[in-house]
Amino acid sequence: MDTIDTKTKPLSTVVRLHPNDDVVVARRQLMPGSRVEGETVTVAAFIPAGHKMATRQILAGQPVRRYNQIIGVASRQIEPGMHVHTHNLSMAEFERDYAFGVDAEPTRYVEKPASFMGIVRADGRVATRNYIGVLTSVNCSATAARAIADYFRRDIHPEALADYPNVDGVVALTHGLGCATDSEGESLVILRRTLAGYAKHVNFAAVLMVGLGCETNQISGMFDAHGLKDNDRLQSFTIQNTGGTSKTVQFGIAKVREMLPAANRVTRETVAASHLTLGLQCGGSDGYSGITANPALGAAVDLLVRHGGTAILSETPEVYGAEHLLTRRAVSRAVGEKLVARIDWWKDYCARNSAEMNNNPSAGNKTGGLTTILEKSLGAVAKGGTTQLVDVYNYAEPVTARGFVFMDTPGYDPVSATGQVAGGANVICFTTGRGSAYGCAPAPSLKLSTNTALWNRQEDDIDINCGGIVDGTDTIDAVGARFFQMILDTASGKKTKSEIHGYGQDEFIPWNIGVLM
């Protein structure tokens, strides 16, 4: 990242990320014939904002570097000043030097950790929110679950929770799975692990589990697999045993009413930031993501880790091509090899399904300036900061380590964040360059914009603007510090933009990797 002093000389129209890079990134639209400050090159073609311009000749077949890392190869000869994008840059495999642990340095913890106002549960865990959840074992019980939760919606029935101001709401988290699948297969194992993670989630004061009765995903089987039992805060029942939809809805409403008094008897108290677990997400990425919002979030992650907290990087297909930067930070070879094993699983998964890892960059990503999955991944890993990688988890596994960790998930944001929350994330941090409207009940979701144009256009959905970094009015460390404080404020109860709009129920999407039968 360049450090031009805008007070003494004009800000360059491009960003050079490393002296060895073959490309620079346009801060704004560049017109043919214009000169670029700090570069001995004249713009040879129209360059959209956030897109790449070549600063030297690149022969066909030669690798192209950004971040001093390979982002692809030139599919044709590229002259200085030309636009570098999908028309002349293509995906290419290259040898990664995993160099396990060579960059892993012991964490320098702060002497006086930061704090926030959290909700301390009876078992000592700390919540950032206080919901009652209505979960479903199968798609067939989704309508009943929704009806139960809707009865307590403050926008429709404000009187239902009028006497319970300390309850953030009653939310139904439904899905389309739970039957027509192998009763012994991995897909059911993942679904049960995900539902169990939500049933145990610290941000739920109490949970109802609603089933149909004849589904493959029997509630009793899920409970047995994960040590769950019916009690005062976890109640389960089925439509078939309760006597139909209407009776199930009324039964569920009565159960929630019974749970509300205890759920309301909470107070917030000062607790250490070590009780925070962040889920790190990026969606609608653009050419600025790896320059502004992602490294700013990474700076906040470094602060959280130094204060004893935990951050979960995920979206495995979106670290492909940059995984060697993470293995170098692994606390041990074994941890690094766990990450490589997940990458290998994804390569095999794509091969079996006639897909490519490079299919990942979406149309919006490309419009925003990204070209290959290699380029996207190099920006995405910046969310994880710089501290050592202490462990790697499967999808929805409980995260028990403290510090920076990785969880294997798809790149699709709702599926990925669902796994992180199931693993224990109590705050989600979501960077976006194209614009995102997203929430993740029961965990509050904070969104960071990569550019000021997006902030100005969609401030209604974004919590913090990181565009000042590329505009030259802010720095990564300054934005990271402000965002770290925003995380603490949010964990203390301040509502995010997505919570104000009511997002969070529809974004619950467990990962389905199995065959439907």
Side-chain angles (χ1 to χ4, degrees), residues 92-109:
E93 286 297 343
F94 65 97
E95 287 294 323
R96 276 78 135 175
D97 180 7
Y98 289 131
F100 297 107
V102 298
D103 294 333
E105 297 183 0
T107 300
R108 295 178 292 108
Y109 294 101

Side-chain angles (χ1 to χ4, degrees), residues 261-286:
N264 193 60
R265 287 194 295 270
V266 297
T267 57
R268 289 186 177 269
E269 57 187 272
T270 303
V271 295
S274 58
H275 291 287
L276 289 176
T277 299
L278 306 184
L280 311 178
Q281 291 291 319
C282 58
S285 300
D286 67 355

Side-chain angles (χ1 to χ4, degrees), residues 231-317:
N231 53 51
D232 291 342
R233 67 165 301 275
L234 178 60
Q235 296 281 308
S236 65
F237 49 95
T238 68
I239 293 172
Q240 292 171 353
N241 284 343
T242 307
T245 301
S246 296
K247 291 179 181 178
T248 297
V249 172
Q250 292 305 313
F251 184 79
I253 289 171
K255 285 294 182 183
V256 172
R257 282 174 171 162
E258 292 175 5
M259 293 170 163
L260 281 169
N264 193 60
R265 287 194 295 270
V266 297
T267 57
R268 289 186 177 269
E269 57 187 272
T270 303
V271 295
S274 58
H275 291 287
L276 289 176
T277 299
L278 306 184
L280 311 178
Q281 291 291 319
C282 58
S285 300
D286 67 355
Y288 298 128
S289 294
I291 301 173
T292 61
N294 288 354
L297 176 53
V301 165
D302 284 349
L303 287 173
L304 177 64
V305 171
R306 291 188 63 211
H307 286 259
T310 302
I312 310 169
L313 182 66
S314 297
E315 302 174 295
T316 313

Side-chain angles (χ1 to χ4, degrees), residues 24-38:
V24 290
V25 179
R27 295 182 192 269
R28 55 176 173 78
Q29 292 181 353
L30 303 179
M31 303 305 295
S34 59
R35 296 288 298 176
V36 175
E37 299 86 346

Side-chain angles (χ1 to χ4, degrees), residues 4 105 114 175 227 388 486:
I4 292 175
E105 297 183 0
H175 56 90
Q388 58 189 7
M486 183 176 285

Side-chain angles (χ1 to χ4, degrees), residues 12-207:
S12 174
T13 53
V14 298
V15 179
R16 173 172 285 280
L17 298 170
H18 193 277
N20 294 341
D21 286 353
D22 302 301
V23 297
V24 290
V25 179
R27 295 182 192 269
R28 55 176 173 78
Q29 292 181 353
L30 303 179
M31 303 305 295
S34 59
R35 296 288 298 176
V36 175
E37 299 86 346
E39 302 289 338
T40 57
V41 63
T42 299
V43 180
F46 173 71
I47 314 289
H51 283 239
K52 299 175 291 296
M53 182 187 74
T55 59
R56 59 184 67 133
Q57 185 184 69
I58 311 169
L59 300 178
Q62 286 187 334
V64 178
R65 289 181 174 269
R66 179 184 174 185
Y67 309 102
N68 195 30
Q69 299 290 330
I70 295 172
I71 62 171
V73 298
S75 57
R76 64 179 73 170
Q77 184 166 310
I78 304 173
E79 299 298 332
M82 291 183 64
H83 182 205
V84 178
H85 200 39
T86 54
H87 61 289
N88 55 16
L89 176 63
S90 61
M91 174 71 177
E93 286 297 343
F94 65 97
E95 287 294 323
R96 276 78 135 175
D97 180 7
Y98 289 131
F100 297 107
V102 298
D103 294 333
E105 297 183 0
T107 300
R108 295 178 292 108
Y109 294 101
V110 299
E111 292 184 6
K112 296 182 179 180
S115 62
F116 69 98
M117 300 300 291
I119 300 167
V120 181
R121 301 297 189 192
D123 59 5
R125 297 182 302 155
V126 176
T128 61
R129 293 294 183 268
N130 190 44
Y131 284 99
I132 289 178
V134 186
L135 306 180
T136 58
S137 62
V138 67
N139 174 257
C140 309
S141 54
T143 297
R146 288 278 187 166
I148 294 167
D150 283 350
Y151 180 86
F152 297 94
R153 280 178 55 175
R154 284 192 167 100
D155 59 338
I156 298 175
H157 304 291
E159 72 284 354
L161 294 180
D163 295 331
Y164 308 102
N166 296 326
V167 176
D168 288 304
V170 179
V171 293
L173 303 182
T174 65
H175 56 90
L177 306 175
C179 211
T181 187
D182 183 358
S183 61
E184 304 295 330
E186 188 176 7
S187 183
L188 187 62
V189 170
I190 291 175
L191 175 61
R192 286 179 166 177
R193 188 164 68 222
T194 303
L195 290 171
Y198 273 74
K200 299 174 183 178
H201 198 280
V202 67
N203 282 3
F204 280 133
V207 171

